[in-house]
Amino acid sequence: MTEIIGVRFKKSSKVYYFSPGKNKIDAGMKVIVETARGVEIGDVTIGNKMVEDTSVVSPLKPVLRIATAQDIRQAEDNIEREKEAFKICQEKIESHNLDMKLVEVEYTFDQNKILFYFTADGRVDFRDLVKDLAAVFRTRIELRQIGVRDEAKLLGGLGICGRKLCCASHLGNFEPVSIKMAKEQNLSLNPTKISGNCSRLMCCLKYEQDAYEDLLKNTPSVGSLVKTSEGKGRVVEVNLLRGLLKVHYESDAEGVSHLVHADEVKVLKSAHVHIDESELKELKELEE
């Protein structure tokens, strides 16, 4: 077993493990740690805790110290510096006429590096921009091009559900989301209804997917040929969550169907869920 603490550097970012050493550190405290980017200040989300050795990547970096009042003031000062750096960088981007959108500026805690996050449709030659920024700030400059999902995570906002964006509130990592998920959950394939603020498929499609996959294993899809106590028929509608099917029997008149529970039918021939190629081509862009 290994003793760890969990540290998060941004509100909705991934939680990283560090070694507390001899310190007793509680959740809610701030600590100073060394990361791949340099010395950083972070919020403790998990206090001293023993975890399996397989859960950590050894060797764990140690906590340098519990943040002092001076450390917290420096972090607050960095936030003000970031606002000023954003304005300056925006002006430089416009003067160089670069086709890029500045999203966020971040100082490392020790002020040895400034990171500028931006989005762009393609590759951007920002070498002259870096030179100008380095001349102004006289420190290491790093420009990072990010995707539209990362942009939404950094900027935040409200989703169509009226709640704060999942990526900006609690999701540490983005998980793959596909059109297949929307199709299996019987959602409208209208891009405006299944895409988020980032114009990509909503992350929440992933939340219930495991449950839907389990239900689909035992529920006939629309078009399947089935047999019940009333005879043979074809499934014309499925209520997956309630486990109910509407079945049109061979003896029924056109437009007539009967409600049957999925447990009461035997599948004679399955119908596979598919998406038209023309529809798929248009919707695939939402996955990227």
Side-chain angles (χ1 to χ4, degrees), residues 25 43 56 80 83-85 99 102 115 123 137 150-151 156 160 171 221 232 236 240 255-256 270 286:
I25 303 173
D43 295 302
V56 302
E80 294 304 315
K83 294 176 182 178
E84 183 63 27
D99 187 16
L102 184 63
L115 297 98
R123 295 179 63 86
F137 297 106
D150 296 297
E151 179 184 11
I160 59 173
L171 283 185
S221 57
K232 294 181 181 179
V236 294
L240 196 59
V256 176
S270 297
L286 300 177

Side-chain angles (χ1 to χ4, degrees), residues 97-122:
N97 196 28
L98 294 174
D99 187 16
M100 56 192 287
K101 176 185 175 184
L102 184 63
V103 177
E104 185 174 79
V105 178
E106 184 180 356
Y107 266 85
T108 57
F109 175 75
D110 54 13
Q111 300 178 0
N112 283 335
K113 184 194 293 186
I114 313 176
L115 297 98
F116 297 85
Y117 298 93
F118 71 94
T119 58
D121 291 334

Side-chain angles (χ1 to χ4, degrees), residues 183-194:
K183 187 72 174 177
E184 290 180 344
Q185 294 175 34
N186 199 29
L187 299 174
S188 166
L189 296 186
N190 183 333
T192 60
K193 294 184 177 181
I194 58 175

Side-chain angles (χ1 to χ4, degrees), residues 16 42 52 58 100 111 135 178 185 191 205 211-213 216-217 221 242 253 259:
Y16 296 89
E52 295 290 341
S58 298
M100 56 192 287
Q111 300 178 0
S178 68
Q185 294 175 34
L205 292 179
Y212 275 94
E213 288 178 355
L216 285 167
K217 292 176 183 177
S221 57
R242 296 179 64 189
L259 204 60

